[in-house]
Amino acid sequence: MNKLGVLAGVISILSFGVLGCSENPTSVIDLEGKSEGEISSSSVQESWVPSENSVLRTEKKSSSSVTNASHEDGQTSSSVRSSSSQTESSSSRPFVRSSFPESSSSEAPIETRSWYNHTTYTTAKVVAANADELECNESAVTDDLKDYDVAYEFNSLRDLGRDYFGKNNAYIDDTVNPVSAECGSVIFDGSNGLIIPLDEIFKSKGFVAEVRFMPTKKGNIANIFVAEPPGSGKTGWQLRLDGTDVVFHMRDPNVRKEKNWESISLGEVSLNEWHVVRIKIFPKKSVLTGKIVYTFNAFLDGKMRRSSEYNADVSNIEYGLGIGYDSMYQSLHGDRFFTGKIDYIRYGKITEDGL
């Protein structure tokens, strides 16, 4: 199998926009407990080491700089893993589906719904285009998911959009190409993606999001997992690939008066290898003042890349989420496709209850 490429060094915290900084450095500990460098934090830091299942798979063939992105105008883990051969990019010409997938992702009747007046989708199972060609062990052994509320493990070839918890299934709209799969992962070829209808679970100031992915082609502004709104002045966040850099973008127009995105680079990743990115925004009550403060932590391949006080609020999202593409169909829609594989996507809401 392909092993994760470990990025050397740790990016220093920059003071900008909604993220704060501090002069008090804290050592980052690698997977073996060795000091790997220092980063600054203005609040409590979370230590995270990916579980064995988050990083290692049994496979079977079958900038630290800050930028503003304003390109818009409108609105598991399976116990069997496939090889990491490069995914070929196909035409981005819109695909019009002539028939619907075979069955619903739930017991409810299949419905056809409008996706923000851009296209339509059906509440049906997302069947891998190559499902009949694969023989996979779909009785997956997943990681401990107790900290999550939504989890796309991509283990079922005939229900790729299934939420492990059964409440927030992902679908495919009627203008993009079908998706293919390997055993335990979904394949995006630069012309497809999945949509997630908006649910209250995603409208949270504090949350954790973790994605295991393999890029097979450089992205432009390639969306991996995003709550991306159309137009300017709207709240949202994006985990995406800019070139070969993993970047987390977020926007709270109440904090950023110029209404542009805050861009937090987590570092460069190698192509054709698996990587794990984890974003966590969480509250903690100050012992001295009794006030609740939020901390932003970001990890890439088990190493903390960012840790800082967090002053924004991205809970007021108004639109659905996208996986692998721009589900809002903005002016640069064709540049926002991710090319590669995703093993899993997990999301958990973090509240202030009990603080």
Side-chain angles (χ1 to χ4, degrees):
M1 66 169 283
N2 292 316
K3 295 184 177 179
L4 293 175
V6 179
L7 301 177
V10 177
I11 302 173
S12 299
I13 293 300
L14 300 179
S15 176
F16 62 93
V18 299
L19 294 179
C21 68
S22 171
E23 298 179 355
N24 299 321
T26 303
S27 296
V28 178
I29 305 301
D30 69 2
L31 300 182
E32 297 177 354
K34 300 175 183 178
S35 178
E36 287 292 329
E38 295 181 339
I39 62 174
S40 61
S41 172
S42 60
S43 185
V44 62
Q45 293 184 356
E46 176 205 26
S47 175
W48 175 72
V49 176
S51 67
E52 181 179 359
N53 285 340
S54 296
V55 180
L56 302 178
R57 302 290 182 216
T58 302
E59 299 192 2
K60 177 180 180 181
K61 187 175 182 181
S62 29
S63 81
S64 59
S65 62
V66 179
T67 59
N68 289 322
S70 58
H71 304 292
E72 62 232 339
D73 71 343
Q75 111 171 85
T76 86
S77 317
S78 174
S79 58
V80 178
R81 286 288 178 261
S82 301
S83 64
S84 58
S85 57
Q86 182 168 349
T87 305
E88 295 295 332
S89 176
S90 65
S91 170
S92 59
R93 182 176 60 187
F95 169 83
V96 179
R97 186 173 290 102
S98 59
S99 61
F100 296 137
E102 58 188 44
S103 58
S104 171
S105 291
S106 67
E107 296 301 323
I110 296 176
E111 299 176 351
T112 298
R113 300 176 180 174
S114 174
W115 185 254
Y116 302 115
N117 298 318
H118 294 301
T119 182
T120 59
Y121 72 97
T122 59
T123 57
K125 292 181 179 180
V126 178
V127 180
N130 60 338
D132 293 336
E133 303 170 12
L134 300 176
E135 294 183 6
C136 302
N137 175 15
E138 296 186 3
S139 58
V141 179
T142 61
D143 301 336
D144 185 356
L145 302 179
K146 64 180 179 60
D147 293 329
Y148 301 98
D149 299 294
V150 184
Y152 306 103
E153 301 297 299
F154 305 119
N155 289 321
S156 176
L157 297 175
R158 299 188 180 277
D159 195 2
L160 286 174
R162 176 181 178 268
D163 171 20
Y164 180 84
F165 298 97
K167 297 181 180 180
N168 291 278
N169 297 311
Y171 305 101
I172 188 166
D173 76 50
D174 295 320
T175 60
V176 298
N177 288 329
V179 292
S180 296
E182 289 186 346
C183 293
S185 64
V186 62
I187 299 174
F188 298 100
D189 63 5
S191 69
N192 48 26
L194 300 174
I195 56 176
I196 307 169
L198 182 61
D199 184 83
E200 287 297 318
I201 200 70
F202 297 110
K203 301 177 73 170
S204 179
K205 181 176 180 178
F207 64 88
V208 57
E210 182 176 321
V211 182
R212 186 174 189 260
F213 68 102
M214 175 193 292
T216 56
K217 182 181 178 181
K218 291 183 179 180
N220 186 2
I221 45 178
N223 290 348
I224 299 174
F225 181 42
V226 301
E228 178 181 20
S232 61
K234 299 288 187 179
T235 301
W237 51 264
Q238 311 166 41
L239 178 62
R240 76 188 199 199
L241 194 67
D242 293 346
T244 54
D245 284 344
V246 178
V247 185
F248 185 74
H249 303 264
M250 58 185 172
R251 182 170 63 194
D252 176 358
N254 294 320
V255 173
R256 294 282 292 181
K257 299 304 181 183
E258 62 273 33
K259 300 180 181 179
N260 288 330
W261 293 92
E262 289 291 343
S263 303
I264 304 98
S265 177
L266 308 185
E268 187 176 9
V269 293
S270 54
L271 299 180
N272 302 306
E273 292 187 311
W274 288 107
H275 303 278
V276 179
V277 61
R278 178 181 172 91
I279 303 295
K280 186 172 183 180
I281 301 169
F282 61 100
K284 187 175 181 62
K285 181 178 289 186
S286 170
V287 177
L288 297 178
T289 67
K291 294 182 178 180
I292 294 176
V293 295
Y294 277 77
T295 293
F296 173 91
N297 279 356
F299 296 81
L300 180 61
D301 293 336
K303 302 293 178 65
M304 185 181 284
R305 305 299 179 179
R306 293 288 177 129
S307 181
S308 180
E309 183 177 328
Y310 175 80
N311 299 313
D313 185 350
V314 293
S315 64
N316 190 33
I317 59 174
E318 304 174 50
Y319 302 90
L321 289 76
I323 300 174
Y325 83 128
D326 167 31
S327 64
M328 291 292 106
Y329 287 85
Q330 300 168 92
S331 60
L332 296 178
H333 174 75
D335 292 332
R336 299 174 187 266
F337 287 93
F338 170 74
T339 303
K341 308 169 187 177
I342 298 180
D343 180 13
Y344 62 74
I345 294 176
R346 298 161 182 171
Y347 173 94
K349 183 176 182 177
I350 301 176
T351 69
E352 298 177 3
D353 296 344
L355 293 181

